[in-house]
Amino acid sequence: MQRLQVAARAGAPGSSVNGGELLMAALATCYCNDLYREAARLGIEIHGCEVVATAHFNGAGLAAEAIVYRARVASSATSDQIEHLLAETDRLAEVHNTLRSGCAVRRTPWHEPAA
C-alpha cells in the first residue's frame, strides 16, 4: 500500500483535486512509467518523457468522454524506434487497458480492521 496525500480544498469541503484529475494523472503516470519499462525491454535509451492526458466530464455522475493523451520522448533513438516504443507502451499500459476494457466497479461495505 502507498498513501497519497491530497490537500483539502481551500475554503470548502472536499479535496483540492477532483477524481477526474486524479484519473488523468493515473493514466499519464502509468504511461510514463511503462515507457521506461518498455524502452528497457526494447533496448531504447530514454533521456526524458512528457505525458499529458485530458478528458471531458459533461456533468455530475456522467462518465468521462473523449479521453486523450499524448507523449513525447527525448531519446537518441530513431523516430521509427520511438514510434514503435510509443505504440508498444500504448498496447501494454495497464491503466489504459483497464479503461478500455470497461472494468466493473462496485462498492463494498466498510469494515473496520480487527483490533
Side-chain angles (χ1 to χ4, degrees):
M1 176 170 54
Q2 182 168 324
R3 293 178 186 254
L4 175 66
Q5 291 188 344
V6 176
R9 183 181 302 158
S15 64
S16 61
V17 296
N18 66 45
E21 291 165 334
L22 289 173
L23 180 62
M24 292 304 98
L27 191 120
T29 301
C30 175
Y31 194 78
C32 175
N33 290 339
D34 289 0
L35 273 172
Y36 284 97
R37 179 192 69 208
E38 294 309 310
R41 182 179 65 83
L42 296 170
I44 298 172
E45 185 178 352
I46 293 180
H47 308 296
C49 69
E50 183 177 3
V51 182
V52 176
T54 61
H56 294 283
F57 292 89
N58 292 320
L62 298 178
E65 296 180 6
I67 296 174
V68 176
Y69 77 98
R70 63 186 185 276
R72 62 180 172 181
V73 173
S75 173
S76 58
T78 68
S79 59
D80 285 345
Q81 288 173 313
I82 292 172
E83 182 54 38
H84 179 66
L85 169 63
L86 293 169
E88 276 294 286
T89 304
D90 178 74
R91 184 177 71 81
L92 298 171
E94 294 84 2
V95 171
H96 300 61
N97 288 333
T98 300
L99 290 171
R100 290 172 179 146
S101 76
C103 178
V105 177
R106 64 184 177 89
R107 184 187 61 81
T108 62
W110 184 272
H111 296 286
E112 294 296 330

